[in-house]
DNA sequence: TATCATAAAATTGGATCCAATATCCATTTT
DNA sequence: AAAATGGATATTGGATCCAATTTTATGATA
């Protein structure tokens, strides 16, 4: 079997990462329609969570064995991830997990800074009681949460809860993608500053302004929130990597 | 051969569309590294240009024959297009070209209205003489151009020329995608209002403001430009589709 | 004639197989 | 000892093959 190859040389660390992949999505997510969707979702979660680090080469055959499928669904999944800029195809070398850099982080925040105020502005007039309740619940959950990965998800869902009534599905789709990508950087943010810098007061202020249908105030808080996060992460990259 | 099947029943019209596909990209574009890239580029151009209308089912085997490849590169290309929201996979039915609707157009313009002012603001301080020359040239070309398809391309390139120095590659990538998607609607715009409504005075005003490094003025013109286009297209859909 | 059951055709997702090509390592040569 | 060279090995892109499932056509029956 090729399994031995994985642990034979310097790839042991990778092997332990890979072998833990399979169960990653199984718990929360529903069953997938196709194998490639399953592989794609699992790999995407692993990359966004940082479990598969930038620069790592993902070889099709190896992944196929781990997931218990042929190389074909793996190939399709990797192509999808390529379209999402999560991997680069290098001929005869494999799909390489894209590196995250200060520049990428800046890009991500510039995009969010453009899209999210738009989404929020469109959504606020149509938000209803259940939306406010959900948002408040998520803030409360974040107060309790310690795990950084789960924290990222809660943060994402909070933001989306306020944008949900924007009525523009493709806009929201883009926002979701950018929020998911932001998780890759948020981990550094939390590591650098601790979870108290999750800016829960910003979240509360946004919710309050939204409740009062005060679009300019909500947008102002959101923009400050994003700019703060962006500069924190920029500082982190400047100091370390 | 299956070729006969294509022309045997009611699919004749589709066949003539399909068979003209192959050469679509050959002229301008360089050779592609892989077959799937070639297929993808050709299909994308055909969909964005409106040559493959919304609702049309793209069957893998049929495309494979037309392109002279097996079903596999076709499959990969279609998956890529799915990621770009240009087709939907319907099980056992084929990849269906997504319909364009008033709602989609509104989404597209909302996204552009969020992203492009950001790109323009970031870019203006770094624009240099060659950028202004290129932009001016493109305006002049548009004055002469009659063909709607080519007009769309010129318009796209003009906008990009002013955003080019934003220094945020992923942001620009998104902008490019949205501009390409906008071509699908621009065709209706031109059909409805004639090419004099291409708002060349807006283009000139944007270029002037950019030349004076007047970011707020340039952004204001751009926003007005996009809002006008959006409402024109909304009116078009309201009257017709 | 309309409707429902049943069989045939078509289409996809996935597996396996094949050819082309780049990488990597050992050996040789300077 | 370092560099060049040649061949084994690994890896990918593409072709062909197979199974599952849906759609569509056909025909029987009320």
């Amino acid at each position: 079997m090729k399994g031995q190859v994985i642990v034979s040389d310097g790839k042991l660390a990778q092997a332990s990462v890979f072998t833990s992949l399979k169960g990653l999505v199984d718990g929360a997510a529903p069953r997938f329609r196709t194998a490639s969707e399953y592989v794609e979702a699992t790999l995407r979660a692993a990359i966004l969570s940082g479990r598969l680090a930038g620069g790592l080469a993902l070889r099709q055959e190896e992944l196929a064995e781990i997931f218990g499928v042929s190389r074909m669904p793996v190939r399709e999944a990797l192509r999808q991830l390529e379209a999402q800029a999560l991997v680069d195809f290098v001929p005869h070398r494999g799909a390489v997990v894209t590196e995250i850099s200060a520049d990428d982080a800046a890009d991500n925040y510039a995009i969010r800074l453009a899209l999210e105020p738009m989404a929020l502005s469109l959504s606020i007039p149509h938000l209803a009681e259940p939306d406010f309740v959900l948002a408040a619940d998520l803030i409360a959950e974040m107060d309790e949460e310690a795990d950084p990965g789960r924290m990222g998800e809660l943060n994402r869902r909070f933001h989306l809860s306020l944008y949900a009534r924007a009525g523009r599905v493709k806009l929201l789709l883009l926002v979701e993608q950018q929020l998911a990508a932001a998780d890759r950087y948020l981990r550094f943010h939390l590591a650098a500053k601790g979870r108290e810098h999750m800016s829960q007061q910003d979240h509360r202020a946004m919710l309050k302004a939204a409740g009062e249908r005060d679009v300019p105030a909500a947008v102002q808080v959101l923009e400050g929130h994003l700019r703060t996060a962006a500069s924190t992460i920029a500082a982190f990259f400047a100091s370390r990597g």
Side-chain angles (χ1 to χ4, degrees), chain A residues 32-42 67 69-70 73-74 76-77:
Chain A
F32 296 96
R33 204 176 58 76
T34 66
S36 28
E37 283 176 19
Y38 166 69
V39 173
E40 184 200 341
T42 307
F67 283 103
V69 297
S70 83
V74 171
E76 281 196 2

Side-chain angles (χ1 to χ4, degrees), chain A residues 104-117 174-175 178 226:
Chain A
D104 286 317
D107 253 296
N108 181 245
Y109 277 98
I111 294 168
R112 290 184 60 190
L113 211 41
L115 294 178
E116 294 190 30
L174 272 185
V175 170
Q178 296 302 319
L226 290 175

Side-chain angles (χ1 to χ4, degrees), chain A residues 152-169:
Chain A
E153 190 196 323
L154 291 172
N155 181 55
R156 202 162 66 232
R157 283 167 54 196
F158 168 77
H159 278 257
L160 283 175
S161 73
L162 291 185
Y163 311 150
R165 305 296 162 200
R168 303 262 69 98
V169 287

Side-chain angles (χ1 to χ4, degrees), chain A residues 30 33 35 60 82 90 102 110 123 143 146 152 154 156 175 189 210:
Chain A
R33 204 176 58 76
Q60 296 180 1
E82 182 193 30
V90 181
S123 178
D143 278 334
L154 291 172
R156 202 162 66 232
V175 170
H189 187 172

Side-chain angles (χ1 to χ4, degrees), chain A residues 19-92:
Chain A
T19 48
S20 66
L21 279 185
K22 262 197 81 171
L24 189 61
V25 175
D26 286 340
R31 286 294 159 273
F32 296 96
R33 204 176 58 76
T34 66
S36 28
E37 283 176 19
Y38 166 69
V39 173
E40 184 200 341
T42 307
L43 287 178
R44 180 170 47 225
I47 293 173
L48 292 177
S49 75
R51 193 184 295 229
L52 293 178
L56 186 62
L58 307 176
R59 293 201 304 300
Q60 296 180 1
E61 187 146 2
E62 193 172 345
L63 291 176
E65 234 177 282
I66 290 163
F67 283 103
V69 297
S70 83
R71 263 180 49 222
M72 179 138 329
V74 171
R75 218 197 285 186
E76 281 196 2
L78 290 175
R79 285 280 180 204
Q80 296 289 86
L81 296 175
E82 182 193 30
Q84 296 161 38
L86 292 178
V87 304
D88 286 326
F89 268 65
V90 181
H92 296 275

